Amino acid sequence: MNNLQVVIDAGHGGSDSGAVSSSGVREKDLTLMISQYMYEEFQKRGVPVTLIRNTDETISPTERVQRILAAYGDNPNVVIISNHINAAGSGIQGAEGAEVIYALRNDDTLASNILTALGNAGQTMRKVYQRRYPSDTSKDYYFIHRNTGSQTQPVIVEYGFIDNPEDLARIQANYKEYVDAVVDAVIATANGQTIPSGQGGNYYTVKSGDSLWSI
């Protein structure tokens, strides 16, 4: 990706709180905090960047997509980062860690770099994946993937689980480190680089030639 341009989507907002922790922390507030800092960091690195919402604003899916595409158009240099906080839901205890979801039209390079970078920053890494629309598996499940053109590179970044108090505390304490990791991963991908796995996280992807001893 030459001439990188970034669109940051702070998930939810306004009347849509997103997930809410047992202590009352709202996803929409965390995603705005994360996105505002991310915007500043891309600016510092000289990357053209647009923030879709900068306040606690209700935005419909249609309006969100319109704002995204209005920023830099539909081209392969545009990376769309939709920031979210996960929730496991009732009856599920202890889910933790980051996930990155990428569009059917893209390969997993960007998403994998982001997840590896988050792991290097100390967050547990869960998975990189795509999700298909049940009634039409040729389409993406999430509108942020499905409706944002045919060439852009949208990713949904789930930084952890809001309904896991320990994971939530990690996000609140370390969100700047996590954002720095995502920014570095996006720029590295644009430059054709792969983020090497460091000591952070607890996830390892086996590569060709690996042995149990070397791992």
Side-chain angles (χ1 to χ4, degrees), residues 1-158:
M1 293 179 291
N2 295 319
N3 303 316
L4 171 66
Q5 299 167 311
V6 175
V7 183
I8 302 170
D9 170 40
H12 307 284
S15 62
D16 175 12
S17 294
V20 182
S21 75
S22 59
S23 61
V25 177
R26 302 177 297 187
E27 181 182 3
K28 68 173 184 177
D29 299 325
L30 290 178
T31 61
L32 183 58
M33 178 178 69
I34 286 168
S35 297
Q36 287 172 329
Y37 179 69
M38 181 177 287
Y39 176 78
E40 294 171 359
E41 290 306 300
F42 274 116
Q43 281 195 317
K44 288 178 182 177
R45 289 161 170 79
V47 175
V49 58
T50 296
L51 181 59
I52 294 306
R53 73 173 178 95
N54 197 32
T55 61
D56 184 18
E57 176 186 7
T58 302
I59 310 175
S60 70
T62 299
E63 175 66 17
R64 201 174 293 262
V65 167
Q66 289 174 346
R67 292 186 188 186
I68 288 170
L69 291 176
Y72 306 109
D74 178 16
N75 73 75
N77 301 321
V78 176
V79 169
I80 301 160
I81 306 169
S82 187
N83 290 316
H84 287 266
I85 311 297
N86 223 332
S90 61
I92 301 175
Q93 301 294 323
E96 64 178 357
E99 298 179 348
V100 184
I101 313 162
Y102 64 102
L104 296 176
R105 62 180 175 271
N106 302 137
D107 64 32
D108 68 351
T109 302
L110 174 61
S112 295
N113 264 351
I114 289 173
L115 188 64
T116 299
L118 285 168
N120 291 345
Q123 178 59 307
T124 298
M125 295 188 291
R126 287 174 60 86
K127 58 184 176 179
V128 165
Y129 67 101
Q130 297 167 313
R131 188 174 180 185
R132 296 176 181 270
Y133 205 76
S135 61
D136 185 349
T137 56
S138 68
K139 296 181 180 180
D140 285 286
Y141 179 86
Y142 297 104
F143 76 86
I144 211 76
H145 297 140
R146 188 174 64 246
N147 297 334
T148 51
S150 61
Q151 300 185 77
T152 60
Q153 295 205 51
V155 289
I156 296 173
V157 182
E158 302 271 11

